[in-house]
Amino acid sequence: MMMIILATMMFCRTLSTSSVGYVRSREMLRENIGNEFFDSIEDALAAGHRDVVLASGTHDAIDLRYETNVRVIGEENSVVSGGIEIPPSMFEINPTLTKRAERDVYTAKNISRKVQIQKMKENGCVHGCSGVPTLLTFGDTNMVLARWPNLNVTNERNEYFHASNDTACGTGCVALDNTEITRERVQAWGNETNAFIHGYFEWDWADCYRKIDSVKEDEQFLNVTLVSKDLNPKTNMRFYATNILNELDTPGEYYVDDESGDLHIIPPTSEDPSKWSEGPIFGLKQNVVDMSHSINVTVENLIIKHGVVGLVGTNVSNSLIQNITAEHHSENGILLTNSHDTTLWNSNVSHTGCGAMRVHGGDSTRLEKGNLVVRNCYVTKFALYKRTYEAGLHFSGVSNLYEGNTIIDSPHNCILGGGNEADSNTTSAVDCVFRGNVLDTCSYEAADTGAFYVCGQAGAWCSSVKCENISFSHSV
């Protein structure tokens, strides 16, 4: 029982060994060690333990909904994962696809028939964190669906091509100049079954995805017609084409064949599958850690990975979230909404497809304070899929404090909230204080926006939002 005794030393308060439930990791389960410990948090809670320690290693998703007076703490390198690994043994080199790629392409057969992944769908151009495909990661790399132009792997930013500057082809159509660069490539897009264009179709502050229907050619232009006819793409609009097998050509890209279910990847590493320490991982779980409707719950010292949302808490009260790393999620890192008297601090969020942290609490219509605190958090590499209106920190509510946070590398807003960005039952930001936050390299991809953006359209409003000692670094 030495491991239990050591685990109790991590707590601030004095605990007897009988009060702690120790949970073994997936690795311990596979090796059949630690049999004296619990196999899951649920088992430990069911046995009456209110303090639970997760052993170093990987654990399944955690459900703390409606829990009261519970503390969950991880040992060093305790990972909570909502993903499923595709074992290296399932991959074989694909000679046909390798011929046109920079490096070897590997294929795993029938994967999408065995694993229920979310396919890419069209989304909204302003508030559009929907239709996001299931994220595939390889080690610490977010894989991207095969595209052109390719992602800039040095800074993980998009590269864009431009539509024709001379003509537009009307609603639901993108006109490209017919050149040696575009001709053969773009014609091939029309033969794909589920190809998309991501672009700033009408405005330089609103991006979205639209499915390609067909490509029509004349002597001067290539007209890419879209399935949806809701947009009127402008001349010279920025875009990239994605989810295209014919564009699978560079390390870090993948493609899932809708018909065969095959997964094709070019891994970031040049090693063959026999040397991979683990295979790529699909982040399947909707909420990897869910503490909604909890009271006096502490979650600390965890690495939360491989899901749609890392940590979610709706209607949380009197709780503490600390020393959390939320990374590699297809949508958001941390969502804490309609909550009060709760603190999020000393945590990191990175590599999310949409926003990083959304922390809302308090109701202005009933003069109820949120008393939320977000302190000393580090946020970077977010809005990797949906680029605009997906902030590093999204705020709303009454009497909340956002202090000492660092937010780096945003294509649009680093901080966004208030007004019509608030929750439906708050519709405002009142007496919220921002103190000592650092914003660096914000709004680098969008126009008509700001690093710190308070939105008050549509009759919504903000009152007494205080900013103190905000530091704006270069490239904002």
Side-chain angles (χ1 to χ4, degrees):
M1 300 298 288
M2 179 60 68
M3 295 180 71
I4 293 182
I5 296 172
L6 292 176
T8 62
M9 296 173 64
M10 302 174 66
F11 291 102
C12 297
R13 61 181 184 272
T14 302
L15 300 175
S16 65
T17 55
S18 61
S19 67
V20 178
Y22 200 93
V23 178
R24 57 180 179 166
S25 65
R26 291 178 185 172
E27 294 83 358
M28 295 171 71
L29 285 165
R30 283 198 297 266
E31 296 171 12
N32 197 29
I33 60 176
N35 292 322
E36 65 271 35
F37 306 128
F38 294 99
D39 291 346
S40 69
I41 283 183
E42 289 75 15
D43 290 345
L45 294 175
H49 296 284
R50 311 316 293 167
D51 296 281
V52 179
V53 175
L54 303 189
S56 297
T58 304
H59 298 260
D60 292 335
I62 298 173
D63 187 355
L64 296 173
R65 289 176 296 173
Y66 296 97
E67 291 291 349
T68 302
N69 302 325
V70 169
R71 186 178 187 187
V72 177
I73 183 171
E75 288 192 321
E76 185 177 1
N77 297 320
S78 293
V79 176
V80 183
S81 173
I84 182 169
E85 178 191 358
I86 311 302
S89 60
M90 295 190 68
F91 288 90
E92 296 181 354
I93 193 168
N94 189 314
T96 302
L97 296 180
T98 295
K99 288 180 181 178
R100 61 170 182 255
E102 298 175 12
R103 213 151 66 189
D104 290 342
V105 178
Y106 298 96
T107 297
K109 298 288 188 180
N110 302 320
I111 293 302
S112 69
R113 295 180 180 178
K114 301 172 183 177
V115 179
Q116 297 299 310
I117 61 174
Q118 171 68 53
K119 299 176 182 178
M120 177 179 284
K121 297 180 181 179
E122 296 185 348
N123 65 341
C125 294
V126 180
H127 297 102
C129 186
S130 60
V132 183
T134 301
L135 179 63
L136 182 70
T137 59
F138 191 102
D140 290 327
T141 299
N142 280 19
M143 302 286 286
V144 296
L145 286 163
R147 61 165 71 181
W148 183 82
N150 291 330
L151 182 74
N152 186 324
V153 294
T154 301
N155 56 22
E156 298 182 68
R157 294 184 184 178
N158 295 334
E159 299 284 350
Y160 289 97
F161 198 72
H162 288 262
S164 174
N165 198 38
D166 297 324
T167 188
C169 51
T171 301
C173 181
V174 179
L176 308 181
D177 294 324
N178 193 343
T179 68
E180 292 183 7
I181 296 176
T182 60
R183 187 174 300 117
E184 182 177 349
R185 162 170 270 122
V186 176
Q187 286 175 337
W189 298 350
N191 299 324
E192 298 269 350
T193 59
N194 202 29
F196 280 75
I197 281 183
H198 167 268
Y200 291 81
F201 291 92
E202 296 181 318
W203 309 100
D204 283 330
W205 45 264
D207 72 303
C208 49
Y209 292 81
R210 289 295 178 267
K211 189 175 181 179
I212 296 174
D213 183 37
S214 62
V215 177
K216 299 177 181 179
E217 179 186 13
D218 61 32
E219 292 184 1
Q220 287 186 287
F221 302 105
L222 294 158
N223 293 331
V224 182
T225 59
L226 308 176
V227 172
S228 297
K229 309 301 180 185
D230 58 333
L231 300 175
N232 188 14
K234 62 184 179 180
T235 59
N236 202 42
M237 61 159 280
R238 295 172 290 156
F239 76 93
Y240 64 79
T242 185
N243 201 37
I244 299 173
L245 179 59
N246 199 54
E247 299 295 350
L248 182 64
D249 61 359
T250 195
E253 289 189 337
Y254 77 101
Y255 179 82
V256 179
D257 191 303
D258 287 344
E259 295 182 0
S260 67
D262 294 350
L263 168 63
H264 310 292
I265 70 168
I266 307 179
T269 176
S270 60
E271 296 178 334
D272 65 69
S274 66
K275 297 181 175 65
W276 298 352
S277 60
E278 66 177 359
I281 295 174
F282 277 114
L284 300 179
K285 187 68 175 179
Q286 176 64 39
N287 302 317
V288 182
V289 176
D290 194 340
M291 54 186 299
S292 296
H293 307 284
S294 62
I295 302 172
N296 192 27
V297 168
T298 295
V299 177
E300 62 179 293
N301 204 39
L302 298 177
I303 301 170
I304 304 171
K305 307 173 74 169
H306 308 138
V308 178
V309 179
L311 183 149
V312 63
T314 300
N315 294 317
V316 174
S317 62
N318 301 98
S319 294
L320 174 64
I321 304 162
Q322 63 179 344
N323 299 326
I324 295 298
T325 294
E327 58 186 7
H328 304 300
H329 300 287
S330 60
E331 293 188 6
N332 305 99
I334 296 175
L335 297 182
L336 187 62
T337 59
N338 291 317
S339 298
H340 64 88
D341 299 290
T342 293
T343 294
L344 164 65
W345 77 298
N346 282 1
S347 295
N348 302 320
V349 182
S350 70
H351 293 90
T352 62
C354 299
M357 302 188 302
R358 190 178 185 95
V359 184
H360 296 186
D363 189 336
S364 62
T365 62
R366 294 186 292 184
L367 300 179
E368 294 179 352
K369 294 182 178 181
N371 292 327
L372 300 177
V373 176
V374 181
R375 180 179 284 129
N376 296 345
C377 293
Y378 183 88
V379 176
T380 189
K381 301 297 181 185
F382 52 93
L384 298 179
Y385 181 83
K386 177 66 172 77
R387 306 294 279 172
T388 56
Y389 295 96
E390 297 298 333
L393 170 59
H394 198 289
F395 71 93
S396 172
V398 182
S399 297
N400 300 321
L401 172 63
Y402 308 91
E403 180 178 39
N405 305 292
T406 299
I407 303 173
I408 296 176
D409 206 49
S410 172
H412 196 230
N413 313 123
C414 276
I415 297 178
L416 169 67
N420 57 328
E421 286 289 328
D423 293 326
S424 59
N425 69 329
T426 58
T427 66
S428 65
V430 179
D431 290 332
C432 292
V433 176
F434 295 82
R435 180 184 298 131
N437 298 289
V438 176
L439 310 183
D440 188 348
T441 317
C442 309
S443 307
Y444 65 78
E445 193 176 286
D448 190 19
T449 188
F452 191 124
Y453 195 80
V454 179
C455 195
Q457 300 172 358
W461 51 281
C462 296
S463 174
S464 188
V465 174
K466 302 175 183 178
C467 297
E468 304 173 4
N469 300 320
I470 303 297
S471 175
F472 294 93
S473 297
H474 67 285
S475 303
V476 174

